[in-house]
Amino acid sequence: MTKLRLAIVGAGPAGIYAADILLKAERKFDVSIDLFEQLPAPYGLVRYGVAPDHPRIKGIINALRDVLDRGDIRLFGNVRFGEDITLDDLKNHYNAVIFATGAIRDTTLDVPGIDAVASYGAADYVSWFDGHPDVPREWPLDAASVGVLGNGNVALDVARMLAKHAEDLLVTEVPENVYEGLKASAVTDVHVFGRRGPAQVKFTPLELRELGELRDVDMVVYDEDFDYDEASKDAVASNKQVMVIDRILQSWRKRDSVNNAGGTASRRLHLHFWARPVEVRKDEAGRVAALVYERTKPDGQGGAVGTGEMREVPLQALYRAIGYFGSPLPGVPFDKKHGVIPNREGQVLAKDSNQQMTGIYATGWIKRGPVGLIGHTKSDAMETVRHIINDQGSWWHPEDPSEEAIPALLQERGVKWTDLEGWHRLDEHEVGLGAPQERARVKVVPRDEMVRVSRGE
C-alpha cells in the first residue's frame, strides 16, 4: 500500500487539526505524520496567545492533547524551520508539507508618531504576559494613562490585562515574572478606542462582560456614543450577539462611574467609540504623550465617516490591537500585502506564475489571514487535506522517507529537539510548580529551561 509521509510545520490548533483530519479521512494509502514546532511546547496561540485568566478557552488544549496523545503523530519541538530544517530537507524525507505557522506579528498602522517610545504592538504584550520564551522577561508598565487601539477580543484582552490587579491573576498560570511586573504597574486609566460604534464592535459579549466584573476597576462609557442611527438600531434588534453587547453597555451607562462622575475604584477602563486615530503626539524625549483622534459618525451602512472634529487624550503608552500578520518562511512564497502564503484552497501557488507548487500546502491563519475561530480552523484544514489526498499523483518522491532519518538529521546538526514525552514532562513540571499555591500551573518561561525539563537533563 502507498504511504504518505507528511510534514506539518506548526503545532498549534491549525497543524494538529490538519493531522487529525487526515488520519481520520477516507483514503487509499497509509499516513505517517511528523509535526515540527519552533517552540519547545505545542499548542501555538492557545498556549501563547490567550490571556492566562481565560481557562475556558484553554479547554481547547484538552481536545488538542487528546489528538497528540493517541500516539499516531510524532512531535519535533524546538526545531526552527529554515534554520534547523529546510524545505530541501523536507523534500528529501517527505511526500508533502503543510505550513500551519499562524500569524504572530502585529499589523502595522500608518499614522504619524506610531513609532514613538512606549508605542507597542499588542502581540508583543500578549507574548510577554503569556510567558513566551523568545520575548524579554520585563515589560515597561510605568505609564499611568494607557491607550489601546482596536475593538476586537485581543484589544479587550490587552485592556483587561492592563487594568486588572495582579493579585487577581494568582489563581491562573501567570508566570512569576509577569505577576511581579503587573504588581508594580503604575496604570490608573486604560482608554480603548474604536473607529465605529457600540453596535459594530468585533468582540464577543463574554469578553465584554468580563471587563465589568474586574475588581476595583470602574467602567467608563460616554453617553454621546449611544446616539444610534437606523443601521445600529437594526443591528441591535436583529443580531442576538449585538443585542447582548448593547445590554451590557447600557447597564454600564447607569453606573455611578459613567463619564468619570462619582467612580470609587483605583483604576478606570474607558471605552471610546467613533474614534479614528489620526496622530500619536510625542514629548521632547520622543515618548507617547497623547493620542489625537478624529470623531467619526455612522455612514448609514454600519460603517463610519469622519466629522472633521479632532480630539486629544493624554497618554504615556499606546498599544495597537488591530490585527495579527503572518511572517515569511525561507523558500516559501509570501504575500507581503496580506501576510499569508499565496494559495488556492490550501494549495500553495508560485508567486510569479500563480501555478500550484506541488507538495506544498497551507492551513490556518497563514493560509487565510488572522480571522475566524477554531471552527474556521477545522474547515480550513479539511479543505487543505482534501487536496493533499486528491493530489497523490503529484506528491514529492523523497530520497529517504524512513522514519529514522529525521531524528538522525537533527542529532547530526546538534538540534536539541523535544518530543511528546518531553512535553508530558514539562506539563507535569509546570503543574507541580503550581500545586503548592493551588494554582493550575506556573508556566516555565526560559527556552533553555523548557528544553532541559522536556529532555530530562
Side-chain angles (χ1 to χ4, degrees), residues 385-434:
V385 164
R386 189 177 72 244
H387 281 298
I388 291 174
I389 293 171
N390 293 338
D391 291 347
Q392 186 174 347
S394 61
W395 290 348
W396 296 330
H397 299 288
E399 285 177 27
D400 181 4
S402 68
E403 306 224 345
E404 305 79 46
I406 293 301
L409 179 72
L410 294 175
Q411 195 157 350
E412 184 188 311
R413 290 178 181 171
V415 179
K416 289 193 162 189
W417 80 90
T418 60
D419 57 16
L420 193 56
E421 196 182 318
W423 161 239
H424 288 154
R425 275 195 211 102
L426 179 61
D427 189 30
E428 286 166 20
H429 179 75
E430 291 183 340
V431 170
L433 290 176

Short mmCIF file of all heavy atoms in Angstrom, two decimals, residues 385-434:
data_model
loop_
_atom_site.label_atom_id
_atom_site.label_comp_id
_atom_site.label_asym_id
_atom_site.label_seq_id
_atom_site.Cartn_x
_atom_site.Cartn_y
_atom_site.Cartn_z
N VAL A 385 -6.62 19.28 3.40
CA VAL A 385 -6.40 17.83 3.44
C VAL A 385 -7.05 17.15 2.23
O VAL A 385 -6.48 16.22 1.64
CB VAL A 385 -6.93 17.24 4.76
CG1 VAL A 385 -7.09 15.73 4.68
CG2 VAL A 385 -6.00 17.62 5.92
N ARG A 386 -8.20 17.63 1.84
CA ARG A 386 -8.88 17.04 0.67
C ARG A 386 -7.99 17.15 -0.58
O ARG A 386 -7.88 16.21 -1.37
CB ARG A 386 -10.22 17.75 0.43
CG ARG A 386 -11.08 17.07 -0.63
CD ARG A 386 -12.43 17.75 -0.80
NE ARG A 386 -12.31 19.04 -1.47
CZ ARG A 386 -12.61 20.20 -0.90
NH1 ARG A 386 -13.06 20.24 0.35
NH2 ARG A 386 -12.47 21.34 -1.56
N HIS A 387 -7.32 18.30 -0.72
CA HIS A 387 -6.44 18.47 -1.88
C HIS A 387 -5.21 17.56 -1.80
O HIS A 387 -4.78 17.02 -2.81
CB HIS A 387 -6.01 19.93 -2.02
CG HIS A 387 -7.07 20.80 -2.63
ND1 HIS A 387 -7.54 20.59 -3.91
CD2 HIS A 387 -7.76 21.87 -2.15
CE1 HIS A 387 -8.47 21.48 -4.19
NE2 HIS A 387 -8.63 22.27 -3.14
N ILE A 388 -4.65 17.40 -0.60
CA ILE A 388 -3.48 16.52 -0.45
C ILE A 388 -3.84 15.10 -0.90
O ILE A 388 -3.09 14.45 -1.63
CB ILE A 388 -2.98 16.52 1.01
CG1 ILE A 388 -2.37 17.89 1.35
CG2 ILE A 388 -1.95 15.42 1.24
CD1 ILE A 388 -1.97 18.05 2.80
N ILE A 389 -5.01 14.65 -0.46
CA ILE A 389 -5.46 13.30 -0.84
C ILE A 389 -5.64 13.19 -2.36
O ILE A 389 -5.17 12.24 -2.99
CB ILE A 389 -6.78 12.95 -0.10
CG1 ILE A 389 -6.52 12.82 1.41
CG2 ILE A 389 -7.39 11.66 -0.65
CD1 ILE A 389 -7.78 12.69 2.26
N ASN A 390 -6.29 14.20 -2.94
CA ASN A 390 -6.56 14.16 -4.39
C ASN A 390 -5.31 14.39 -5.24
O ASN A 390 -5.29 14.04 -6.42
CB ASN A 390 -7.62 15.21 -4.76
CG ASN A 390 -8.98 14.87 -4.16
OD1 ASN A 390 -9.25 13.71 -3.84
ND2 ASN A 390 -9.84 15.87 -4.01
N ASP A 391 -4.27 15.00 -4.64
CA ASP A 391 -3.05 15.32 -5.40
C ASP A 391 -2.01 14.21 -5.37
O ASP A 391 -0.83 14.45 -5.66
CB ASP A 391 -2.41 16.62 -4.85
CG ASP A 391 -3.23 17.86 -5.13
OD1 ASP A 391 -4.16 17.77 -5.96
OD2 ASP A 391 -2.95 18.91 -4.53
N GLN A 392 -2.42 13.01 -5.01
CA GLN A 392 -1.46 11.92 -4.82
C GLN A 392 -0.49 11.78 -5.99
O GLN A 392 0.69 11.50 -5.81
CB GLN A 392 -2.21 10.60 -4.59
CG GLN A 392 -1.27 9.44 -4.25
CD GLN A 392 -2.04 8.18 -3.88
OE1 GLN A 392 -3.24 8.22 -3.64
NE2 GLN A 392 -1.34 7.06 -3.80
N GLY A 393 -0.99 12.00 -7.21
CA GLY A 393 -0.15 11.85 -8.40
C GLY A 393 0.99 12.85 -8.48
O GLY A 393 1.97 12.62 -9.23
N SER A 394 0.91 13.96 -7.73
CA SER A 394 1.97 14.98 -7.82
C SER A 394 2.74 15.15 -6.51
O SER A 394 3.43 16.15 -6.32
CB SER A 394 1.36 16.33 -8.24
OG SER A 394 0.42 16.77 -7.27
N TRP A 395 2.64 14.16 -5.62
CA TRP A 395 3.45 14.23 -4.38
C TRP A 395 4.94 14.21 -4.73
O TRP A 395 5.35 13.71 -5.78
CB TRP A 395 3.15 13.02 -3.50
CG TRP A 395 1.81 12.97 -2.86
CD1 TRP A 395 0.88 13.96 -2.80
CD2 TRP A 395 1.23 11.84 -2.20
NE1 TRP A 395 -0.24 13.53 -2.13
CE2 TRP A 395 -0.05 12.22 -1.75
CE3 TRP A 395 1.67 10.54 -1.95
CZ2 TRP A 395 -0.89 11.36 -1.05
CZ3 TRP A 395 0.84 9.68 -1.25
CH2 TRP A 395 -0.43 10.08 -0.82
N TRP A 396 5.76 14.70 -3.80
CA TRP A 396 7.21 14.56 -3.94
C TRP A 396 7.60 13.09 -3.85
O TRP A 396 6.89 12.29 -3.23
CB TRP A 396 7.92 15.30 -2.80
CG TRP A 396 7.74 16.77 -2.78
CD1 TRP A 396 7.54 17.62 -3.82
CD2 TRP A 396 7.79 17.61 -1.60
NE1 TRP A 396 7.44 18.92 -3.39
CE2 TRP A 396 7.59 18.95 -2.02
CE3 TRP A 396 7.98 17.37 -0.25
CZ2 TRP A 396 7.58 20.03 -1.14
CZ3 TRP A 396 7.97 18.44 0.64
CH2 TRP A 396 7.77 19.75 0.20
N HIS A 397 8.78 12.78 -4.40
CA HIS A 397 9.33 11.43 -4.29
C HIS A 397 10.62 11.51 -3.48
O HIS A 397 11.70 11.73 -4.03
CB HIS A 397 9.60 10.84 -5.68
CG HIS A 397 8.36 10.74 -6.51
ND1 HIS A 397 7.37 9.81 -6.27
CD2 HIS A 397 7.92 11.49 -7.56
CE1 HIS A 397 6.39 9.98 -7.13
NE2 HIS A 397 6.68 11.00 -7.93
N PRO A 398 10.52 11.37 -2.15
CA PRO A 398 11.69 11.60 -1.29
C PRO A 398 12.76 10.52 -1.46
O PRO A 398 12.45 9.36 -1.73
CB PRO A 398 11.09 11.55 0.13
CG PRO A 398 9.83 10.74 0.00
CD PRO A 398 9.31 11.01 -1.37
N GLU A 399 14.03 10.94 -1.30
CA GLU A 399 15.16 10.01 -1.39
C GLU A 399 15.15 9.04 -0.21
O GLU A 399 15.44 7.87 -0.36
CB GLU A 399 16.48 10.78 -1.40
CG GLU A 399 16.77 11.45 -2.74
CD GLU A 399 18.06 12.27 -2.66
OE1 GLU A 399 18.94 11.93 -1.84
OE2 GLU A 399 18.18 13.24 -3.43
N ASP A 400 14.85 9.57 0.99
CA ASP A 400 14.86 8.72 2.19
C ASP A 400 13.63 9.02 3.05
O ASP A 400 13.66 9.89 3.92
CB ASP A 400 16.14 8.96 2.99
CG ASP A 400 16.21 8.09 4.24
OD1 ASP A 400 15.30 7.24 4.44
OD2 ASP A 400 17.16 8.25 5.04
N PRO A 401 12.53 8.30 2.81
CA PRO A 401 11.32 8.55 3.58
C PRO A 401 11.27 7.80 4.92
O PRO A 401 10.24 7.80 5.58
CB PRO A 401 10.21 8.05 2.65
CG PRO A 401 10.86 6.96 1.86
CD PRO A 401 12.32 7.31 1.75
N SER A 402 12.37 7.20 5.32
CA SER A 402 12.35 6.40 6.56
C SER A 402 12.10 7.28 7.78
O SER A 402 12.53 8.44 7.83
CB SER A 402 13.67 5.65 6.73
OG SER A 402 14.72 6.56 6.98
N GLU A 403 11.44 6.71 8.78
CA GLU A 403 11.10 7.47 9.99
C GLU A 403 12.35 7.79 10.82
O GLU A 403 12.34 8.72 11.62
CB GLU A 403 10.07 6.69 10.82
CG GLU A 403 8.83 6.31 10.02
CD GLU A 403 7.52 6.55 10.78
OE1 GLU A 403 7.58 6.73 12.00
OE2 GLU A 403 6.47 6.57 10.12
N GLU A 404 13.41 7.01 10.65
CA GLU A 404 14.63 7.22 11.46
C GLU A 404 15.44 8.41 10.92
O GLU A 404 16.31 8.94 11.62
CB GLU A 404 15.53 5.98 11.43
CG GLU A 404 14.87 4.68 11.85
CD GLU A 404 14.02 4.06 10.74
OE1 GLU A 404 14.49 3.98 9.58
OE2 GLU A 404 12.86 3.70 11.03
N ALA A 405 15.17 8.81 9.67
CA ALA A 405 16.02 9.82 9.01
C ALA A 405 16.01 11.16 9.73
O ALA A 405 17.05 11.81 9.87
CB ALA A 405 15.58 9.99 7.55
N ILE A 406 14.83 11.59 10.21
CA ILE A 406 14.72 12.94 10.80
C ILE A 406 15.44 13.04 12.15
O ILE A 406 16.24 13.97 12.36
CB ILE A 406 13.24 13.37 10.91
CG1 ILE A 406 12.64 13.56 9.51
CG2 ILE A 406 13.08 14.66 11.72
CD1 ILE A 406 13.33 14.59 8.64
N PRO A 407 15.20 12.11 13.11
CA PRO A 407 15.99 12.19 14.35
C PRO A 407 17.50 12.15 14.08
O PRO A 407 18.26 12.89 14.73
CB PRO A 407 15.54 10.94 15.13
CG PRO A 407 14.18 10.62 14.61
CD PRO A 407 14.21 11.02 13.16
N ALA A 408 17.92 11.34 13.11
CA ALA A 408 19.36 11.27 12.80
C ALA A 408 19.86 12.61 12.26
O ALA A 408 20.95 13.08 12.63
CB ALA A 408 19.60 10.15 11.78
N LEU A 409 19.07 13.23 11.38
CA LEU A 409 19.45 14.51 10.80
C LEU A 409 19.56 15.60 11.87
O LEU A 409 20.53 16.36 11.91
CB LEU A 409 18.41 14.92 9.75
CG LEU A 409 18.62 16.26 9.03
CD1 LEU A 409 19.79 16.15 8.05
CD2 LEU A 409 17.36 16.68 8.28
N LEU A 410 18.56 15.67 12.75
CA LEU A 410 18.57 16.69 13.81
C LEU A 410 19.72 16.47 14.79
O LEU A 410 20.37 17.42 15.24
CB LEU A 410 17.23 16.68 14.56
CG LEU A 410 15.99 17.11 13.74
CD1 LEU A 410 14.72 16.94 14.55
CD2 LEU A 410 16.11 18.55 13.25
N GLN A 411 19.98 15.21 15.09
CA GLN A 411 21.08 14.89 16.01
C GLN A 411 22.42 15.31 15.39
O GLN A 411 23.28 15.90 16.06
CB GLN A 411 21.08 13.39 16.29
CG GLN A 411 21.93 13.03 17.50
CD GLN A 411 21.50 11.70 18.10
OE1 GLN A 411 20.46 11.14 17.76
NE2 GLN A 411 22.29 11.19 19.01
N GLU A 412 22.58 15.00 14.11
CA GLU A 412 23.81 15.35 13.39
C GLU A 412 24.05 16.85 13.41
O GLU A 412 25.18 17.33 13.49
CB GLU A 412 23.66 14.85 11.95
CG GLU A 412 24.88 15.02 11.07
CD GLU A 412 24.54 14.67 9.62
OE1 GLU A 412 23.94 13.60 9.38
OE2 GLU A 412 24.85 15.50 8.75
N ARG A 413 22.94 17.64 13.38
CA ARG A 413 23.06 19.10 13.37
C ARG A 413 23.09 19.70 14.78
O ARG A 413 23.12 20.92 14.94
CB ARG A 413 21.89 19.70 12.58
CG ARG A 413 21.99 19.41 11.10
CD ARG A 413 20.83 19.94 10.31
NE ARG A 413 21.01 19.60 8.89
CZ ARG A 413 20.09 19.76 7.95
NH1 ARG A 413 18.90 20.27 8.27
NH2 ARG A 413 20.34 19.43 6.71
N GLY A 414 23.07 18.85 15.78
CA GLY A 414 23.15 19.33 17.16
C GLY A 414 21.89 20.03 17.64
O GLY A 414 21.95 20.88 18.54
N VAL A 415 20.74 19.70 17.05
CA VAL A 415 19.47 20.32 17.46
C VAL A 415 18.92 19.60 18.68
O VAL A 415 18.76 18.38 18.67
CB VAL A 415 18.43 20.25 16.31
CG1 VAL A 415 17.11 20.88 16.76
CG2 VAL A 415 18.97 20.95 15.07
N LYS A 416 18.66 20.35 19.74
CA LYS A 416 18.08 19.75 20.96
C LYS A 416 16.56 19.76 20.84
O LYS A 416 15.90 20.66 21.37
CB LYS A 416 18.53 20.52 22.20
CG LYS A 416 20.00 20.33 22.54
CD LYS A 416 20.29 20.87 23.94
CE LYS A 416 21.60 20.30 24.47
NZ LYS A 416 21.78 20.63 25.90
N TRP A 417 16.02 18.80 20.13
CA TRP A 417 14.58 18.80 19.91
C TRP A 417 13.84 18.18 21.09
O TRP A 417 14.41 17.43 21.88
CB TRP A 417 14.24 18.10 18.59
CG TRP A 417 14.22 16.60 18.63
CD1 TRP A 417 13.16 15.79 18.92
CD2 TRP A 417 15.32 15.72 18.39
NE1 TRP A 417 13.53 14.47 18.86
CE2 TRP A 417 14.84 14.40 18.53
CE3 TRP A 417 16.67 15.92 18.05
CZ2 TRP A 417 15.66 13.29 18.36
CZ3 TRP A 417 17.49 14.81 17.88
CH2 TRP A 417 16.98 13.52 18.04
N THR A 418 12.59 18.54 21.21
CA THR A 418 11.74 17.97 22.26
C THR A 418 10.65 17.15 21.58
O THR A 418 10.23 17.45 20.46
CB THR A 418 11.09 19.08 23.11
OG1 THR A 418 10.28 19.92 22.27
CG2 THR A 418 12.14 19.95 23.79
N ASP A 419 10.20 16.09 22.28
CA ASP A 419 9.16 15.24 21.69
C ASP A 419 7.93 15.21 22.59
O ASP A 419 7.84 15.98 23.56
CB ASP A 419 9.70 13.82 21.45
CG ASP A 419 10.25 13.18 22.72
OD1 ASP A 419 9.95 13.69 23.84
OD2 ASP A 419 10.98 12.18 22.61
N LEU A 420 6.99 14.35 22.26
CA LEU A 420 5.72 14.31 23.00
C LEU A 420 5.94 13.90 24.46
O LEU A 420 5.35 14.47 25.38
CB LEU A 420 4.75 13.35 22.31
CG LEU A 420 3.29 13.42 22.79
CD1 LEU A 420 2.74 14.84 22.67
CD2 LEU A 420 2.42 12.45 22.00
N GLU A 421 6.82 12.94 24.64
CA GLU A 421 7.15 12.52 26.01
C GLU A 421 7.75 13.69 26.78
O GLU A 421 7.47 13.90 27.96
CB GLU A 421 8.15 11.36 25.93
CG GLU A 421 8.28 10.57 27.22
CD GLU A 421 9.32 9.47 27.07
OE1 GLU A 421 9.35 8.80 26.02
OE2 GLU A 421 10.11 9.29 28.03
N GLY A 422 8.57 14.48 26.08
CA GLY A 422 9.17 15.66 26.69
C GLY A 422 8.12 16.70 27.08
O GLY A 422 8.21 17.34 28.13
N TRP A 423 7.10 16.88 26.23
CA TRP A 423 6.02 17.80 26.55
C TRP A 423 5.28 17.33 27.80
O TRP A 423 4.93 18.13 28.68
CB TRP A 423 5.07 17.97 25.37
CG TRP A 423 3.73 18.54 25.78
CD1 TRP A 423 2.52 17.97 25.62
CD2 TRP A 423 3.49 19.78 26.47
NE1 TRP A 423 1.53 18.76 26.16
CE2 TRP A 423 2.10 19.88 26.69
CE3 TRP A 423 4.32 20.80 26.92
CZ2 TRP A 423 1.52 20.96 27.34
CZ3 TRP A 423 3.73 21.89 27.58
CH2 TRP A 423 2.35 21.97 27.78
N HIS A 424 5.06 16.03 27.91
CA HIS A 424 4.40 15.50 29.12
C HIS A 424 5.24 15.81 30.37
O HIS A 424 4.69 16.16 31.41
CB HIS A 424 4.20 13.99 29.00
CG HIS A 424 3.13 13.62 28.00
ND1 HIS A 424 3.11 12.41 27.35
CD2 HIS A 424 2.06 14.30 27.54
CE1 HIS A 424 2.06 12.36 26.54
NE2 HIS A 424 1.42 13.51 26.63
N ARG A 425 6.59 15.70 30.23
CA ARG A 425 7.46 16.03 31.37
C ARG A 425 7.31 17.50 31.76
O ARG A 425 7.19 17.84 32.93
CB ARG A 425 8.92 15.77 31.00
CG ARG A 425 9.38 14.35 31.20
CD ARG A 425 10.91 14.25 31.16
NE ARG A 425 11.27 12.94 30.64
CZ ARG A 425 11.68 12.72 29.40
NH1 ARG A 425 11.81 13.72 28.56
NH2 ARG A 425 11.98 11.51 28.99
N LEU A 426 7.35 18.38 30.75
CA LEU A 426 7.24 19.82 31.02
C LEU A 426 5.87 20.15 31.60
O LEU A 426 5.75 20.93 32.55
CB LEU A 426 7.47 20.61 29.72
CG LEU A 426 7.36 22.13 29.81
CD1 LEU A 426 8.39 22.70 30.79
CD2 LEU A 426 7.53 22.78 28.44
N ASP A 427 4.85 19.55 31.05
CA ASP A 427 3.47 19.74 31.51
C ASP A 427 3.36 19.39 33.00
O ASP A 427 2.86 20.17 33.81
CB ASP A 427 2.56 18.85 30.66
CG ASP A 427 1.08 19.12 30.89
OD1 ASP A 427 0.74 20.28 31.23
OD2 ASP A 427 0.27 18.20 30.76
N GLU A 428 3.86 18.21 33.35
CA GLU A 428 3.80 17.75 34.76
C GLU A 428 4.63 18.67 35.66
O GLU A 428 4.25 18.97 36.79
CB GLU A 428 4.31 16.32 34.87
CG GLU A 428 3.33 15.28 34.34
CD GLU A 428 3.97 13.91 34.13
OE1 GLU A 428 5.03 13.67 34.74
OE2 GLU A 428 3.42 13.11 33.35
N HIS A 429 5.77 19.12 35.14
CA HIS A 429 6.65 20.02 35.91
C HIS A 429 5.93 21.33 36.21
O HIS A 429 5.96 21.82 37.36
CB HIS A 429 7.93 20.27 35.10
CG HIS A 429 8.90 21.20 35.75
ND1 HIS A 429 9.69 20.82 36.83
CD2 HIS A 429 9.21 22.51 35.49
CE1 HIS A 429 10.44 21.86 37.20
NE2 HIS A 429 10.18 22.88 36.40
N GLU A 430 5.26 21.92 35.20
CA GLU A 430 4.54 23.19 35.40
C GLU A 430 3.37 23.02 36.35
O GLU A 430 3.12 23.88 37.20
CB GLU A 430 4.06 23.73 34.05
CG GLU A 430 5.19 24.20 33.14
CD GLU A 430 4.69 24.80 31.82
OE1 GLU A 430 3.54 24.51 31.41
OE2 GLU A 430 5.47 25.54 31.19
N VAL A 431 2.65 21.91 36.22
CA VAL A 431 1.54 21.64 37.14
C VAL A 431 2.07 21.50 38.56
O VAL A 431 1.49 22.02 39.52
CB VAL A 431 0.77 20.37 36.70
CG1 VAL A 431 -0.22 19.93 37.78
CG2 VAL A 431 0.03 20.61 35.38
N GLY A 432 3.23 20.84 38.70
CA GLY A 432 3.86 20.68 40.01
C GLY A 432 4.28 22.00 40.63
O GLY A 432 4.16 22.20 41.84
N LEU A 433 4.75 22.93 39.78
CA LEU A 433 5.15 24.26 40.28
C LEU A 433 3.94 25.02 40.84
O LEU A 433 4.08 25.81 41.77
CB LEU A 433 5.79 25.08 39.15
CG LEU A 433 7.17 24.66 38.64
CD1 LEU A 433 7.59 25.53 37.46
CD2 LEU A 433 8.21 24.74 39.75
N GLY A 434 2.77 24.78 40.24
CA GLY A 434 1.57 25.49 40.69
C GLY A 434 0.91 24.88 41.91
O GLY A 434 0.19 25.57 42.64
#
